[in-house]
Amino acid sequence: MCGLVGIVGQEPVNQALYDALTVLQHRGQDAAGIMTDDSGRLRVRKSNGLVRDVFQERHMLKLGGNVGLGHVRYPTAGSATVSEAQPFYVNSPYGICLAHNGNLVNAEDLKRLVTQHDHRHLNTDSDSETLLNVFAHEAVALAHPQAASVVGHDTGGVLATMLQHRERVVDRLVDRFLADDSDESAHMSYLR
């Protein structure tokens, strides 16, 4: 069980994210993290502990930007190390971050696929980091034909491309990870 918050605003969101995480603190007391997009630079502060202990004024001042994610963690998978505090970040493609609540039932299979087939590096045992790398790999596969339309760190363009082609992304994930297991494929139909 974890607590998640995401805010897109017209003014800095760091304080609103902090306030939301304090309200969500009952969902996880192990770790807390905030990531913001500050004019194309992703800023992050995360550590083990309660929200009030992880974020001091000096940390909050560095979390500029009008877009952000917050996470409080109660570990049900992986370990309780600071490296597994969320949100997670991967720089390719485009710089993508993820905060996740839940457990992946096929996490070990996905880890093998991500590391052996996709040649991506995982820093933790967290299934959330694995999920982020699956998403990043699929974003690259989807964006290559349209690379000219995605400029630099245009996260809005990347998101628009992903949303526009979400059915293709889901179909690729179902085909790739669930193969011919029709019972499992039925569980993925809610994504369409």
Side-chain angles (χ1 to χ4, degrees), residues 98-164:
L98 173 102
H100 172 249
N101 176 37
N103 294 317
L104 301 179
V105 295
N106 59 342
E108 291 306 314
D109 294 334
L110 293 176
K111 284 179 189 179
R112 272 192 301 282
L113 190 62
V114 164
T115 57
Q116 294 173 8
H117 182 267
D118 299 344
H119 306 290
R120 297 186 77 82
H121 177 79
L122 299 176
N123 292 311
T124 70
D125 292 325
S126 172
D127 58 352
S128 299
E129 184 188 19
T130 301
L131 180 62
L132 173 60
N133 277 275
V134 167
F135 180 74
H137 178 81
E138 294 302 318
V140 168
L142 178 65
H144 272 301
Q146 301 157 351
S149 68
V150 179
V151 180
H153 286 84
D154 178 12
T155 53
V158 173
L159 180 58
T161 301
M162 294 300 291
L163 290 174
Q164 180 182 4

Coordinates of all heavy atoms in Angstrom, one line a residue, residues 98-164:
L98 N 8.2 7.7 -12.6 CA 7.1 6.9 -12.3 C 6.9 6.7 -10.8 O 7.9 6.5 -10.1 CB 7.2 5.5 -12.9 CG 6.2 4.5 -12.6 CD1 5.2 4.3 -13.7 CD2 6.8 3.1 -12.3
A99 N 5.7 6.9 -10.3 CA 5.4 6.5 -8.9 C 4.3 5.4 -9.1 O 3.4 5.6 -9.9 CB 4.9 7.7 -8.1
H100 N 4.4 4.4 -8.3 CA 3.5 3.2 -8.5 C 3.1 2.6 -7.2 O 3.8 2.6 -6.2 CB 4.4 2.2 -9.3 CG 3.7 0.8 -9.4 ND1 4.2 -0.3 -8.8 CD2 2.7 0.4 -10.1 CE1 3.5 -1.3 -9.1 NE2 2.5 -0.9 -9.9
N101 N 1.8 2.2 -7.2 CA 1.2 1.5 -6.0 C 0.8 0.2 -6.5 O -0.1 0.1 -7.4 CB 0.1 2.3 -5.4 CG -0.6 1.6 -4.3 OD1 0.1 0.9 -3.5 ND2 -1.9 1.7 -4.2
G102 N 1.3 -0.9 -5.9 CA 0.8 -2.2 -6.3 C 2.0 -3.2 -6.5 O 3.2 -2.8 -6.3
N103 N 1.7 -4.4 -6.8 CA 2.7 -5.4 -7.0 C 2.5 -6.1 -8.4 O 1.3 -6.3 -8.8 CB 2.6 -6.5 -6.0 CG 2.9 -6.0 -4.6 OD1 3.9 -5.3 -4.4 ND2 2.1 -6.5 -3.6
L104 N 3.5 -6.3 -9.1 CA 3.5 -7.0 -10.4 C 3.6 -8.4 -10.2 O 4.6 -8.9 -9.6 CB 4.6 -6.5 -11.3 CG 4.6 -5.0 -11.6 CD1 5.8 -4.7 -12.5 CD2 3.4 -4.5 -12.3
V105 N 2.6 -9.2 -10.6 CA 2.6 -10.6 -10.4 C 3.7 -11.4 -11.2 O 4.1 -12.4 -10.8 CB 1.2 -11.3 -10.6 CG1 0.2 -10.7 -9.6 CG2 0.7 -11.0 -12.0
N106 N 4.1 -10.8 -12.3 CA 5.1 -11.4 -13.2 C 6.4 -10.6 -13.1 O 7.1 -10.5 -14.1 CB 4.6 -11.5 -14.6 CG 4.1 -10.2 -15.2 OD1 3.9 -9.2 -14.5 ND2 4.0 -10.2 -16.5
A107 N 6.7 -10.0 -12.0 CA 7.9 -9.1 -11.9 C 9.2 -9.8 -12.3 O 10.0 -9.2 -13.0 CB 8.0 -8.5 -10.5
E108 N 9.4 -11.0 -11.8 CA 10.6 -11.7 -12.2 C 10.8 -11.9 -13.7 O 11.9 -11.8 -14.2 CB 10.8 -13.0 -11.4 CG 10.9 -12.8 -9.9 CD 12.1 -11.9 -9.5 OE1 13.2 -12.1 -10.1 OE2 11.9 -11.0 -8.7
D109 N 9.7 -12.3 -14.3 CA 9.8 -12.5 -15.8 C 10.0 -11.2 -16.5 O 10.8 -11.1 -17.4 CB 8.4 -13.1 -16.3 CG 8.2 -14.5 -15.8 OD1 9.1 -15.2 -15.5 OD2 7.0 -14.9 -15.7
L110 N 9.4 -10.1 -16.0 CA 9.6 -8.8 -16.6 C 11.1 -8.3 -16.4 O 11.7 -7.8 -17.3 CB 8.7 -7.8 -16.0 CG 7.2 -8.0 -16.4 CD1 6.4 -6.9 -15.7 CD2 7.0 -7.9 -17.9
K111 N 11.6 -8.6 -15.2 CA 13.0 -8.2 -14.9 C 14.0 -8.9 -15.9 O 14.9 -8.3 -16.4 CB 13.4 -8.6 -13.5 CG 12.8 -7.6 -12.5 CD 13.2 -8.0 -11.1 CE 12.4 -7.1 -10.1 NZ 12.7 -7.4 -8.7
R112 N 13.8 -10.2 -16.1 CA 14.6 -11.0 -17.0 C 14.5 -10.4 -18.4 O 15.5 -10.2 -19.1 CB 14.2 -12.5 -17.0 CG 15.0 -13.3 -16.0 CD 14.8 -14.8 -16.2 NE 13.4 -15.2 -16.2 CZ 12.7 -15.4 -15.0 NH1 13.2 -15.1 -13.9 NH2 11.4 -15.8 -15.1
L113 N 13.3 -10.1 -18.8 CA 13.1 -9.6 -20.2 C 13.8 -8.2 -20.3 O 14.4 -7.9 -21.3 CB 11.6 -9.5 -20.5 CG 11.3 -9.2 -21.9 CD1 11.7 -10.3 -22.9 CD2 9.8 -9.0 -22.1
V114 N 13.6 -7.3 -19.4 CA 14.1 -6.0 -19.4 C 15.6 -6.0 -19.4 O 16.3 -5.3 -20.1 CB 13.6 -5.1 -18.2 CG1 14.4 -3.9 -18.0 CG2 12.1 -4.8 -18.5
T115 N 16.2 -6.9 -18.6 CA 17.7 -6.9 -18.5 C 18.3 -7.7 -19.6 O 19.3 -7.2 -20.2 CB 18.2 -7.4 -17.2 OG1 17.6 -8.7 -17.0 CG2 17.8 -6.5 -16.0
Q116 N 17.8 -8.8 -20.0 CA 18.4 -9.7 -21.0 C 18.0 -9.3 -22.4 O 18.9 -9.4 -23.3 CB 18.1 -11.2 -20.7 CG 18.7 -11.6 -19.4 CD 18.2 -13.0 -19.0 OE1 17.5 -13.7 -19.8 NE2 18.5 -13.4 -17.8
H117 N 16.8 -9.0 -22.7 CA 16.4 -8.7 -24.0 C 16.5 -7.2 -24.4 O 17.0 -6.9 -25.5 CB 14.9 -9.2 -24.2 CG 14.4 -9.0 -25.6 ND1 13.7 -7.8 -26.0 CD2 14.5 -9.7 -26.7 CE1 13.4 -7.9 -27.3 NE2 13.9 -9.0 -27.7
D118 N 16.1 -6.4 -23.5 CA 16.1 -4.9 -23.7 C 17.4 -4.3 -23.4 O 17.6 -3.1 -23.7 CB 15.0 -4.2 -23.0 CG 13.6 -4.7 -23.3 OD1 13.4 -5.4 -24.4 OD2 12.6 -4.4 -22.6
H119 N 18.3 -5.0 -22.7 CA 19.6 -4.5 -22.2 C 19.5 -3.3 -21.4 O 20.3 -2.3 -21.6 CB 20.5 -4.3 -23.5 CG 20.6 -5.6 -24.3 ND1 21.2 -6.7 -23.9 CD2 20.1 -5.8 -25.5 CE1 21.2 -7.6 -24.8 NE2 20.4 -7.1 -25.8
R120 N 18.5 -3.2 -20.5 CA 18.4 -2.1 -19.6 C 18.9 -2.5 -18.2 O 18.9 -3.7 -17.9 CB 16.9 -1.7 -19.5 CG 16.4 -1.2 -20.9 CD 15.0 -0.7 -20.8 NE 14.9 0.7 -20.3 CZ 15.1 1.8 -21.0 NH1 15.5 1.7 -22.2 NH2 15.0 2.9 -20.4
H121 N 19.4 -1.5 -17.5 CA 20.0 -1.8 -16.2 C 19.0 -1.4 -15.1 O 18.4 -0.4 -15.2 CB 21.3 -0.9 -16.0 CG 21.9 -1.1 -14.7 ND1 22.7 -2.1 -14.4 CD2 21.8 -0.3 -13.6 CE1 23.1 -2.0 -13.1 NE2 22.6 -0.9 -12.6
L122 N 18.9 -2.3 -14.1 CA 18.0 -2.1 -13.0 C 18.9 -1.8 -11.8 O 19.8 -2.6 -11.5 CB 17.1 -3.2 -12.7 CG 16.1 -3.5 -13.9 CD1 15.3 -4.8 -13.5 CD2 15.2 -2.4 -14.1
N123 N 18.6 -0.8 -11.0 CA 19.4 -0.4 -9.8 C 18.9 -1.0 -8.5 O 19.6 -1.0 -7.5 CB 19.5 1.1 -9.7 CG 20.2 1.7 -10.8 OD1 21.4 1.3 -11.1 ND2 19.7 2.8 -11.4
T124 N 17.6 -1.5 -8.6 CA 17.0 -2.0 -7.3 C 16.3 -3.3 -7.6 O 16.2 -3.8 -8.8 CB 16.0 -1.0 -6.8 OG1 14.8 -1.0 -7.7 CG2 16.6 0.4 -6.7
D125 N 15.7 -3.9 -6.6 CA 14.8 -5.1 -6.7 C 13.4 -4.7 -6.8 O 12.5 -5.5 -6.8 CB 15.0 -6.0 -5.5 CG 16.4 -6.6 -5.5 OD1 16.9 -6.9 -6.6 OD2 16.9 -6.8 -4.4
S126 N 13.1 -3.4 -7.0 CA 11.7 -2.9 -7.0 C 11.0 -3.3 -8.3 O 11.5 -3.0 -9.4 CB 11.7 -1.4 -6.8 OG 10.4 -0.9 -7.0
D127 N 9.8 -3.8 -8.2 CA 9.0 -4.1 -9.4 C 8.6 -2.8 -10.0 O 8.3 -2.7 -11.2 CB 7.8 -5.0 -9.1 CG 6.9 -4.5 -8.0 OD1 7.2 -3.5 -7.4 OD2 5.8 -5.1 -7.9
S128 N 8.5 -1.7 -9.3 CA 8.2 -0.4 -9.9 C 9.2 0.1 -10.8 O 8.9 0.7 -11.9 CB 7.9 0.6 -8.8 OG 6.8 0.2 -8.0
E129 N 10.5 -0.1 -10.5 CA 11.6 0.3 -11.4 C 11.5 -0.6 -12.7 O 11.8 -0.1 -13.8 CB 13.0 0.1 -10.7 CG 14.1 0.6 -11.6 CD 15.5 0.3 -11.1 OE1 15.6 -0.6 -10.2 OE2 16.4 0.9 -11.6
T130 N 11.2 -1.8 -12.5 CA 11.0 -2.7 -13.7 C 9.9 -2.2 -14.6 O 10.1 -2.1 -15.8 CB 10.7 -4.2 -13.2 OG1 11.8 -4.6 -12.4 CG2 10.5 -5.1 -14.4
L131 N 8.8 -1.8 -14.0 CA 7.6 -1.3 -14.7 C 8.0 0.0 -15.5 O 7.7 0.1 -16.7 CB 6.5 -1.0 -13.8 CG 5.2 -0.5 -14.4 CD1 4.6 -1.4 -15.5 CD2 4.2 -0.1 -13.4
L132 N 8.8 0.8 -14.8 CA 9.3 2.1 -15.5 C 10.1 1.7 -16.7 O 10.0 2.3 -17.8 CB 10.1 2.9 -14.5 CG 10.8 4.1 -15.1 CD1 9.8 5.1 -15.7 CD2 11.6 4.8 -14.0
N133 N 11.0 0.7 -16.6 CA 11.9 0.4 -17.7 C 11.1 -0.3 -18.8 O 11.4 -0.2 -20.0 CB 13.0 -0.5 -17.2 CG 14.1 0.4 -16.7 OD1 15.0 0.8 -17.4 ND2 14.1 0.6 -15.4
V134 N 10.1 -1.1 -18.5 CA 9.2 -1.6 -19.5 C 8.5 -0.5 -20.3 O 8.5 -0.5 -21.5 CB 8.1 -2.6 -18.9 CG1 7.0 -2.9 -19.9 CG2 8.8 -3.8 -18.4
F135 N 8.0 0.5 -19.6 CA 7.3 1.6 -20.2 C 8.3 2.4 -21.1 O 8.0 2.7 -22.2 CB 6.7 2.5 -19.1 CG 6.0 3.7 -19.7 CD1 4.8 3.6 -20.3 CD2 6.6 5.0 -19.6 CE1 4.1 4.7 -20.8 CE2 6.0 6.1 -20.1 CZ 4.7 6.0 -20.7
A136 N 9.5 2.6 -20.6 CA 10.5 3.3 -21.3 C 10.9 2.6 -22.6 O 11.0 3.2 -23.7 CB 11.8 3.6 -20.5
H137 N 11.0 1.3 -22.5 CA 11.4 0.5 -23.7 C 10.3 0.6 -24.8 O 10.5 0.8 -26.0 CB 11.6 -0.9 -23.4 CG 11.9 -1.8 -24.6 ND1 13.2 -1.8 -25.1 CD2 11.2 -2.6 -25.3 CE1 13.2 -2.6 -26.2 NE2 11.9 -3.1 -26.3
E138 N 9.0 0.5 -24.3 CA 7.9 0.6 -25.2 C 7.8 2.0 -25.8 O 7.4 2.2 -27.0 CB 6.6 0.1 -24.6 CG 6.6 -1.3 -24.2 CD 6.8 -2.3 -25.4 OE1 6.3 -2.0 -26.5 OE2 7.6 -3.2 -25.3
A139 N 8.1 3.0 -25.0 CA 8.0 4.4 -25.5 C 9.0 4.6 -26.7 O 8.7 5.2 -27.7 CB 8.3 5.4 -24.4
V140 N 10.2 4.0 -26.5 CA 11.2 4.1 -27.6 C 10.7 3.4 -28.8 O 10.8 3.9 -30.0 CB 12.6 3.5 -27.2 CG1 13.5 3.3 -28.3 CG2 13.2 4.3 -26.1
A141 N 10.2 2.2 -28.7 CA 9.7 1.4 -29.8 C 8.5 2.1 -30.5 O 8.5 2.1 -31.7 CB 9.2 0.0 -29.3
L142 N 7.7 2.8 -29.8 CA 6.6 3.5 -30.3 C 7.1 4.8 -31.0 O 6.6 5.1 -32.1 CB 5.6 3.9 -29.3 CG 4.4 4.7 -29.7 CD1 3.5 3.8 -30.7 CD2 3.5 5.1 -28.5
A143 N 8.0 5.5 -30.4 CA 8.4 6.8 -30.9 C 9.4 6.8 -32.1 O 9.4 7.7 -32.9 CB 9.1 7.6 -29.8
H144 N 10.1 5.7 -32.4 CA 11.0 5.7 -33.5 C 10.4 6.1 -34.8 O 11.0 6.9 -35.5 CB 11.7 4.3 -33.6 CG 13.0 4.2 -32.7 ND1 14.0 5.1 -32.8 CD2 13.3 3.4 -31.7 CE1 14.9 4.8 -31.9 NE2 14.5 3.8 -31.2
P145 N 9.3 5.6 -35.2 CA 8.8 6.0 -36.5 C 8.4 7.5 -36.5 O 8.3 8.1 -37.6 CB 7.5 5.2 -36.7 CG 7.6 4.1 -35.7 CD 8.5 4.5 -34.6
Q146 N 8.2 8.1 -35.3 CA 7.7 9.4 -35.3 C 8.7 10.3 -34.6 O 8.4 11.4 -34.0 CB 6.4 9.5 -34.5 CG 5.3 8.7 -35.2 CD 4.3 8.3 -34.2 OE1 4.4 8.5 -33.0 NE2 3.2 7.7 -34.7
A147 N 10.0 9.9 -34.6 CA 11.0 10.6 -33.8 C 11.1 12.1 -34.2 O 11.4 12.9 -33.4 CB 12.4 10.0 -34.0
A148 N 10.8 12.4 -35.4 CA 10.9 13.8 -35.9 C 9.9 14.7 -35.2 O 10.1 15.9 -35.1 CB 10.8 13.8 -37.4
S149 N 8.8 14.1 -34.8 CA 7.7 14.9 -34.2 C 7.9 15.1 -32.7 O 7.2 15.9 -32.1 CB 6.4 14.3 -34.4 OG 6.2 13.1 -33.7
V150 N 8.9 14.4 -32.1 CA 9.2 14.5 -30.7 C 10.5 15.3 -30.5 O 11.5 14.8 -30.9 CB 9.2 13.2 -30.0 CG1 9.5 13.3 -28.5 CG2 7.9 12.4 -30.2
V151 N 10.4 16.5 -30.0 CA 11.6 17.3 -29.9 C 12.2 17.4 -28.5 O 11.5 17.8 -27.6 CB 11.3 18.8 -30.4 CG1 12.5 19.6 -30.4 CG2 10.7 18.7 -31.8
G152 N 13.4 17.0 -28.4 CA 14.1 17.1 -27.1 C 13.4 16.6 -25.9 O 13.0 15.5 -25.9
H153 N 13.2 17.5 -24.9 CA 12.5 17.1 -23.7 C 11.1 17.6 -23.7 O 10.5 18.0 -22.7 CB 13.3 17.8 -22.5 CG 14.5 17.1 -22.2 ND1 15.7 17.4 -22.8 CD2 14.8 16.1 -21.3 CE1 16.7 16.6 -22.3 NE2 16.2 15.8 -21.4
D154 N 10.4 17.5 -24.8 CA 9.0 18.0 -24.9 C 8.2 16.9 -24.3 O 7.6 16.0 -25.0 CB 8.7 18.2 -26.4 CG 7.2 18.6 -26.6 OD1 6.6 18.9 -25.6 OD2 6.7 18.6 -27.7
T155 N 8.1 16.9 -23.0 CA 7.3 15.8 -22.3 C 5.9 15.9 -22.7 O 5.2 14.8 -22.7 CB 7.5 16.0 -20.8 OG1 7.1 17.3 -20.4 CG2 8.9 15.7 -20.3
G156 N 5.3 17.0 -23.0 CA 3.9 17.1 -23.4 C 3.8 16.4 -24.8 O 2.8 15.6 -25.0
G157 N 4.7 16.5 -25.7 CA 4.7 15.8 -27.0 C 4.8 14.3 -26.8 O 4.1 13.6 -27.5
V158 N 5.7 13.9 -25.9 CA 5.9 12.5 -25.6 C 4.6 11.9 -25.1 O 4.1 10.9 -25.5 CB 7.0 12.2 -24.6 CG1 7.1 10.8 -24.2 CG2 8.3 12.7 -25.3
L159 N 4.0 12.6 -24.1 CA 2.8 12.2 -23.5 C 1.6 12.1 -24.5 O 0.9 11.1 -24.6 CB 2.4 13.1 -22.3 CG 1.1 12.7 -21.6 CD1 1.2 11.3 -21.0 CD2 0.8 13.7 -20.5
A160 N 1.6 13.1 -25.3 CA 0.5 13.1 -26.4 C 0.7 12.0 -27.3 O -0.3 11.3 -27.7 CB 0.6 14.5 -27.1
T161 N 1.9 11.7 -27.7 CA 2.2 10.6 -28.6 C 1.8 9.2 -27.9 O 1.2 8.4 -28.6 CB 3.7 10.5 -29.0 OG1 4.0 11.7 -29.7 CG2 4.0 9.4 -29.9
M162 N 2.2 9.1 -26.7 CA 1.8 7.9 -25.9 C 0.3 7.7 -25.8 O -0.2 6.6 -26.0 CB 2.5 7.8 -24.6 CG 4.0 7.8 -24.6 SD 4.6 6.3 -25.4 CE 4.2 5.1 -24.3
L163 N -0.4 8.8 -25.5 CA -1.8 8.7 -25.3 C -2.5 8.5 -26.6 O -3.5 7.7 -26.7 CB -2.3 10.0 -24.7 CG -2.0 10.2 -23.2 CD1 -2.5 11.6 -22.7 CD2 -2.6 9.1 -22.3
Q164 N -2.0 9.1 -27.7 CA -2.6 8.9 -29.0 C -2.5 7.5 -29.5 O -3.4 7.0 -30.1 CB -1.9 9.8 -30.0 CG -2.4 9.7 -31.4 CD -1.6 10.6 -32.4 OE1 -0.7 11.2 -32.0 NE2 -2.1 10.6 -33.6

